Amino acid sequence: MALHLASLFEERIGQQPFFLAFSSGPDSVCLLQQLMRVYSAEQVILVHFNHQLQSKSEQQRALSLAKFYSDHYALRLITRRLPVQVYANRKGVSVELAARHLRYRLLSHLARLNGVSAVFLGHHLDDACETMIMNLIRGSGSGMKGLLSQREMAHGLTLFRPLLSCSKADILAELDRLDMGYWQDPSNLVTDVTRNQIRHQVMPRLAEIQPSYLSAMQRFMGTYAKISMYMDQQSQVLLDCIQYDPDFVAIDSSLLSQEPEALRGHAICLILPLALSHLFPHQDKRFIREPLNFSFQHISQIEKFLCHEGDFGPLDLPHQIRVSQKKGRLIIQRRESLVPSLTFSYSRSTFPSCIQLDELGLICELSVLTEWPQDLLSTESQAFLALDCSAPLMLECRSWQPGDRFIPFGMTGSKKVSRYLMDRQVAGHERRRIPLFFVNNDLAWILGQQISEPFRVKATTRWVLRIQVQNQIGDCL
């Protein structure tokens, strides 16, 4: 089972270290064995996630096997626990989506910490076919190309899937030949999950009808991917005409209506995720780019708007967005009624301390410094605030309130927070969710923005309050 990994990835990887997402399952064990035929032990870093969905004994089996293979090949092993069920409940998404979301977020964070730009995944041909069937029954045309063997992610991270040409049967046969042990995830056998129903009920039936169905589906996905790439290129002219406003995205309806029906629908499929990325900038970019919840029916309804002159709509779509046609433009905006207005307030008077913002999934670490480097610099996720050492220190972190004002960095006069954020083109729903940090009742810092001028660190400053904000899974904003 030679995968010729060197010819496929050597040019991209070179001598740089990379991650292998290692579940201890047969796919990742097989991929590890193939990678070790090409790369040195210094390059391969195993990353093992405990999703905390199995019994403790099963969790321990998977971890023990990961440790065994890391010791056997003398590899570095990184292990992390993921609060998948908690995250799924909080976000109102499926456990499968929550697990995937957390995995990619943490992989991206760990990659930045370790200077890694590539992650190898053990997805195989059966996985790609399952994904295609799931997208087919959902009515998602964008997912008919299945999984990609190479995919560029945020922060310069690239995903590689070198097993996509191998079936699950090939992988199990190879492991049996090599007498290599692996862990079987019990959750893969539960048939109340759509993917598992497809895996255990639909695909065996397809094999009975057409034994070579995997190869046939592989050819179809390859052909569809080429067609999709061509349509992407043809749609670029339309995408360049999108108008972006802080609170909506628009494009002239006439530009879309004059295109052939197939290209028009494809362009809409591309415009929707771009609109999501703009309207909800803090959501995970990977899932914004995958409009899996937009079906053919949604696209058809939008196309109907283009056939009518005058105003039309609105049409409510998944992901809390609304589409309408006004004054000759197709407009995509947020459904403001579905965006919760958060109200929160936390106070601390002893330091070091910590504030856990469960409403936003953030952790704020607070500490007072008596020594600091001369090149002290506040960032979007970290602030250094000069303190008046003669006054007791009280810090409050709360949501925005009407009338809040501060003196922007480098200015002498005060400005309303609402006006300041509006000038910075921060969307209305985002303005209501940004934490504000007050020191002794004076606004000192707006998260993600500038500190207030009175809290500028100077040569005469004696104390500095350091505020660092992170996501609850540990990565800096």
Side-chain angles (χ1 to χ4, degrees):
M1 184 181 168
L3 299 182
H4 306 293
L5 292 173
S7 60
L8 286 172
F9 306 111
E10 186 68 27
E11 183 178 347
R12 289 296 308 272
I13 302 300
Q15 300 300 314
Q16 299 299 314
F18 58 85
F19 285 160
L20 167 58
F22 195 80
S23 66
S24 299
D27 318 327
S28 56
V29 171
C30 182
L31 181 54
L32 172 62
Q33 190 274 335
Q34 295 290 324
L35 290 171
M36 295 311 299
R37 297 171 57 181
V38 178
Y39 298 105
S40 67
E42 289 75 21
Q43 289 183 265
V44 184
I45 303 173
L46 302 185
V47 182
H48 177 80
F49 293 134
N50 178 358
H51 297 83
Q52 303 184 77
L53 298 173
Q54 305 297 339
S55 65
K56 290 186 177 180
S57 60
E58 289 294 342
Q59 295 175 26
Q60 187 57 46
R61 286 192 188 97
L63 178 59
S64 296
L65 202 56
K67 290 180 177 178
F68 168 79
Y69 280 112
S70 66
D71 292 342
H72 178 74
Y73 289 108
L75 305 176
R76 182 182 170 196
L77 173 65
I78 298 175
T79 63
R80 291 292 187 274
R81 297 166 67 90
L82 300 180
V84 174
Q85 191 64 63
V86 173
Y87 185 87
N89 294 340
R90 190 175 71 197
K91 296 293 185 179
V93 298
S94 68
V95 169
E96 182 184 17
L97 180 60
R100 190 163 68 246
H101 193 167
L102 288 176
R103 279 198 304 271
Y104 282 101
R105 284 178 60 185
L106 194 49
L107 276 172
S108 179
H109 170 64
L110 292 172
R112 295 197 300 272
L113 289 180
N114 291 273
V116 166
S117 61
V119 178
F120 280 78
L121 305 173
H123 296 119
H124 47 74
L125 180 56
D126 295 56
D127 292 325
C129 292
E130 291 168 8
T131 300
M132 193 200 79
I133 294 173
M134 288 183 67
N135 292 330
L136 177 64
I137 62 179
R138 287 171 176 167
S140 173
S142 62
M144 297 304 290
K145 55 183 176 286
L147 301 172
L148 301 178
S149 61
Q150 179 176 318
R151 179 165 188 167
E152 303 298 328
M153 305 294 286
H155 308 296
L157 189 65
T158 303
L159 304 182
F160 293 110
R161 299 183 176 101
L163 297 182
L164 284 182
S165 61
C166 307
S167 69
K168 185 63 174 279
D170 293 334
I171 291 172
L172 294 177
E174 178 72 0
L175 294 177
D176 184 59
R177 184 183 69 82
L178 297 172
D179 195 25
M180 298 183 71
Y182 52 85
W183 175 66
Q184 288 279 23
D185 186 348
S187 66
N188 289 335
L189 302 176
V190 179
T191 56
D192 58 356
V193 179
T194 302
R195 180 175 290 275
N196 288 350
Q197 291 175 347
I198 293 172
R199 178 177 301 167
H200 299 296
Q201 298 173 12
V202 176
M203 295 182 69
R205 180 60 179 146
L206 289 176
E208 294 176 3
I209 298 172
Q210 175 53 267
S212 61
Y213 81 100
L214 285 176
S215 298
M217 293 179 73
Q218 183 180 24
R219 291 192 299 272
F220 172 81
M221 289 185 289
T223 301
Y224 190 92
K226 294 176 182 177
I227 296 173
S228 182
M229 183 180 300
Y230 173 77
M231 297 291 280
D232 287 351
Q233 295 170 350
Q234 296 300 307
S235 301
Q236 189 58 51
V237 175
L238 294 172
L239 302 185
D240 291 340
C241 296
I242 297 176
Q243 305 155 30
Y244 293 96
D245 183 271
D247 292 314
F248 64 86
V249 170
I251 185 171
D252 289 346
S253 299
S254 60
L255 295 176
L256 290 168
S257 60
Q258 67 187 10
E259 295 292 344
E261 182 178 355
L263 182 59
R264 183 169 63 238
H266 190 86
I268 293 172
C269 286
L270 298 177
I271 291 171
L272 290 175
L274 290 174
L276 277 172
S277 182
H278 176 74
L279 297 173
F280 298 93
H282 296 311
Q283 288 191 18
D284 186 272
K285 296 297 186 294
R286 174 177 183 270
F287 297 99
I288 285 175
R289 292 184 190 135
E290 295 185 2
L292 298 180
N293 290 334
F294 296 124
S295 66
F296 283 121
Q297 183 180 7
H298 295 135
I299 305 304
S300 297
Q301 289 175 313
I302 295 175
E303 288 186 282
K304 288 180 181 178
F305 286 3
L306 305 175
C307 299
H308 292 79
E309 294 184 359
D311 295 351
F312 205 75
L315 170 66
D316 289 338
L317 296 181
H319 302 296
Q320 301 183 3
I321 65 171
R322 174 169 291 165
V323 180
S324 58
Q325 182 169 259
K326 297 179 181 178
K327 298 181 180 180
R329 294 194 302 171
L330 188 71
I331 297 177
I332 306 171
Q333 56 194 141
R334 291 173 299 273
R335 285 184 279 164
E336 294 288 350
S337 62
L338 297 181
V339 179
S341 293
L342 295 179
T343 301
F344 54 86
S345 178
Y346 299 90
S347 298
R348 296 291 186 271
S349 58
T350 58
F351 304 88
S353 186
C354 179
I355 295 176
Q356 187 161 322
L357 283 170
D358 290 330
E359 297 88 348
L360 298 171
L362 302 176
I363 294 177
C364 310
E365 297 181 354
L366 315 171
S367 57
V368 175
L369 309 178
T370 56
E371 295 181 356
W372 54 88
Q374 292 183 349
D375 57 347
L376 210 59
L377 181 65
S378 295
T379 65
E380 291 186 353
S381 61
Q382 183 172 247
F384 296 96
L385 308 174
L387 298 177
D388 180 359
C389 58
S390 64
L393 177 58
M394 172 64 72
L395 180 133
E396 181 184 14
C397 174
R398 66 166 172 81
S399 51
W400 170 83
Q401 295 177 6
D404 282 338
R405 305 181 71 92
F406 83 124
I407 303 176
F409 191 81
M411 297 181 62
T412 56
S414 68
K415 194 171 189 177
K416 281 190 174 182
V417 171
S418 57
R419 171 54 60 181
Y420 172 81
L421 294 176
M422 190 179 302
D423 292 343
R424 306 275 290 190
Q425 294 191 326
V426 178
H429 83 289
E430 289 290 330
R431 297 197 290 267
R432 298 193 296 271
R433 299 170 65 88
I434 297 178
L436 309 182
F437 292 87
F438 293 79
V439 174
N440 296 336
N441 297 319
D442 291 326
L443 178 53
W445 183 41
I446 304 172
L447 177 63
Q449 305 294 328
Q450 296 176 337
I451 66 171
S452 181
E453 173 62 26
F455 292 89
R456 177 201 291 261
V457 177
K458 304 175 182 178
T460 57
T461 300
R462 295 180 58 186
W463 291 352
V464 168
L465 174 63
R466 177 178 179 267
I467 307 175
Q468 184 174 20
V469 183
Q470 296 180 320
N471 288 312
Q472 289 186 348
I473 64 169
D475 49 328
C476 293
L477 295 176

